[in-house]
Amino acid sequence: GAVVSQHPSRVICKSGTSVKIECRSLDFQATTMFWYRQFPKKSLMLMATSNEGSKATYEQGVEKDKFLINHASLTLSTLTVTSAHPEDSSFYICSARDPYSYEQYFGPGTRLTVT
Amino acid sequence: QKEVEQDPGPLSVPEGAIVSLNCTYSNSAFQYFMWYRQYSRKGPELLMYTYSSGNKEDGRFTAQVDKSSKYISLFIRDSQPSDSATYLCAMTGGAQKLVFGQGTRLTINP
C-alpha cells in the first residue's frame, strides 16, 4: 500500500507553546488529506479536511484558530497546535486520499503530550 | 442511529480459527468500502478495499460487500496471534470523508 509519513512520531511540549506536525504522502500526489484525533480505545475523530491550495474544512466543534492546517503542496500537509494545553494531549493521525480510487492511507500517528 | 454500526467486541478466538468481522450501514450512497487494521499506538493500515458489491480475497483475508443488505464482512482464515488488533470498517460515497465503524478489538490466543 501507499506510504504516508508523519513527523514527529512523538512530542512533549510545555503548556502555551505551539507544535507543528508534518504529514507527507510519499507515493502519490494527494489533493486531499485528513487530520484525525484518537483518544485511547476510541475510534478516529475527524478534525479537518485539508485541501491543497485552499483553506481546510473543519469539523463542527474543532477550533480552526487553535488547529492550523496548511496544505501547501500535493504531498505535504501540516497541523499546528497553537498555544497547546494539557487537554490537547492526544494521538494525532493524518491520512492521504488517492484521488482516483478514493483509498485512504494513514500515517503512523503523532503522540502529543502537553505538560 | 449511527451511519455505520460495528460490534466493538472484544472478540477472542483461538489461533487457527476463522474470524468474521461485520459492519452494517444505513447510507445507500456508500460505494467504496475499506477495512483497516490498527495496532496499539499505531496508525490504521489499509487491509482491504472494495468498490461496490462483491468479494475480494487477499491471502488469508476476504472482504465481502452486500449492498442490497447494507452489510460488509471481513473474514480472516487461519488466524494468527499477530492478527490481534483493532479492525475498523470504513466507507464513503466517493469524494467525501470516510465514515468509520467503532472498531472491533480482536485477540487471537495461541
Side-chain angles (χ1 to χ4, degrees), chain A residues 16-91:
Chain A
T17 61
S18 295
V19 174
K20 180 186 282 189
I21 304 170
E22 291 187 350
C23 178
R24 293 183 185 273
S25 174
L26 302 180
D27 288 351
F28 60 87
Q29 294 183 324
T31 52
T32 306
M33 301 174 84
F34 302 87
W35 287 96
Y36 295 82
R37 185 172 178 176
Q38 189 173 36
F39 295 99
K41 299 184 179 181
K42 297 291 184 184
S43 191
L44 300 159
M45 183 185 79
L46 180 65
M47 298 174 65
T49 301
S50 173
N51 302 295
E52 188 268 337
S54 64
K55 291 184 179 180
T57 304
Y58 290 82
E59 295 299 299
Q60 191 173 9
V62 177
E63 298 175 61
K64 60 182 67 175
D65 294 330
K66 180 167 187 59
F67 299 99
L68 300 179
I69 291 172
N70 184 281
H71 193 158
S73 79
L74 287 171
T75 59
L76 173 65
S77 176
T78 61
L79 168 69
T80 301
V81 183
T82 62
S83 186
H85 291 284
E87 57 266 30
D88 298 324
S89 298
S90 193
F91 192 51

Side-chain angles (χ1 to χ4, degrees), chain B residues 32-46:
Chain B
Y32 302 87
F33 304 91
M34 285 156 255
W35 284 96
Y36 290 89
R37 176 175 63 194
Q38 186 176 23
Y39 293 113
S40 181
R41 299 172 183 265
K42 301 289 185 183
E45 171 193 2
L46 180 61

Side-chain angles (χ1 to χ4, degrees), chain A residues 34 36 43-46 49 59 95 97 102 104 106, chain B residues 1-6 23-36 72 87-103:
Chain A
F34 302 87
Y36 295 82
S43 191
L44 300 159
M45 183 185 79
L46 180 65
T49 301
E59 295 299 299
S95 70
R97 184 170 69 196
Y102 301 115
Q104 200 166 312
F106 286 83
Chain B
Q1 182 189 4
K2 294 181 180 178
E3 268 193 297
V4 179
E5 297 277 1
Q6 183 179 6
C23 289
T24 59
Y25 64 95
S26 57
N27 189 339
S28 58
F30 289 150
Q31 292 197 78
Y32 302 87
F33 304 91
M34 285 156 255
W35 284 96
Y36 290 89
I72 71 171
Y87 289 79
L88 296 152
C89 65
M91 50 200 79
T92 178
Q96 298 90 31
K97 59 187 179 183
L98 274 182
V99 181
F100 287 89
Q102 300 96 303

Side-chain angles (χ1 to χ4, degrees), chain B residues 37-69:
Chain B
R37 176 175 63 194
Q38 186 176 23
Y39 293 113
S40 181
R41 299 172 183 265
K42 301 289 185 183
E45 171 193 2
L46 180 61
L47 275 180
M48 300 291 284
Y49 163 80
T50 310
Y51 169 67
S52 194
S53 284
N55 295 357
K56 186 173 184 179
E57 187 174 322
D58 184 2
R60 296 185 295 111
F61 298 91
T62 299
Q64 290 185 348
V65 175
D66 182 349
K67 289 189 69 180
S68 62
S69 302

